[in-house]
Amino acid sequence: MLTRRLAQVARRLRLQAAPRGSLAGLVIGLVAGTLLLGLSKLTPIPQTLAVVLGLALLGTLAGAIVAASRRITLLTAAIHADRAAGTEEVISSALEFAADPRVGPALTSRAELALAAAPTARLTPKLNARFPWAAAALALLLLCLWWVPAVS
């Protein structure tokens, strides 16, 4: 039961990483779009707006996919569950010492009780919704660059 429950925590941690990754990807896509828009002022680039918007969308999707596909080990999930449940490293210790006949069974039973007492949502950190200042600043820069005339 211990590893199955920690696998659920790891899956939830991967899903929580997707919004953060999409924001990082959006910033990277907007940086690329800003550079492309600046370059379009020096040399003509067909359908610049579509390409810039495509870069932002592509960066957002790529960031979410990369962040959600990163492997989270059971030990990492156990550490997060320990912090969230306040179990003072019982869960992670049970995972590491499960094969030890002296302490393994006692630790495993304590960890399973702690995991059974809390829903999976409580065993992962809460998402902090922050305003994406970097993305907003880059979007504003893109908007300002759009109105700059091209060099003839």
Side-chain angles (χ1 to χ4, degrees), residues 44-71:
I45 297 175
Q47 299 180 344
T48 306
L49 182 61
V51 174
V52 167
L53 293 176
L55 284 171
L57 180 64
L58 183 66
T60 303
L61 290 174
I65 290 169
V66 167
S69 65
R70 283 194 178 140
R71 185 171 179 267

Side-chain angles (χ1 to χ4, degrees), residues 1-150:
M1 178 187 137
L2 179 67
T3 56
R4 188 180 75 226
R5 190 65 193 278
L6 288 175
Q8 291 173 349
V9 172
R11 186 173 31 259
R12 187 170 175 91
L13 287 169
R14 277 193 310 274
L15 290 175
Q16 283 182 345
R20 288 189 301 270
S22 66
L23 184 59
L26 174 64
V27 169
I28 291 170
L30 286 174
V31 166
T34 303
L35 292 174
L36 182 74
L37 188 58
L39 183 64
S40 75
K41 301 303 176 180
L42 301 175
T43 181
I45 297 175
Q47 299 180 344
T48 306
L49 182 61
V51 174
V52 167
L53 293 176
L55 284 171
L57 180 64
L58 183 66
T60 303
L61 290 174
I65 290 169
V66 167
S69 65
R70 283 194 178 140
R71 185 171 179 267
I72 294 180
T73 64
L74 290 180
L75 182 59
T76 302
I79 291 168
H80 281 281
D82 272 329
R83 287 181 188 153
T87 55
E88 299 179 5
E89 299 182 6
V90 170
I91 300 169
S92 55
S93 296
L95 185 65
E96 289 212 21
F97 295 111
D100 189 346
R102 294 173 298 165
V103 294
L107 275 174
T108 303
S109 64
R110 282 183 61 197
E112 287 175 350
L113 285 173
L115 287 172
T120 305
R122 238 191 70 220
L123 295 174
T124 55
K126 294 183 181 194
L127 289 176
N128 294 333
R130 297 181 188 158
F131 186 76
W133 289 106
L138 286 168
L140 183 64
L141 179 64
L142 272 171
L143 185 63
C144 292
L145 269 176
W146 184 257
W147 299 108
V148 172

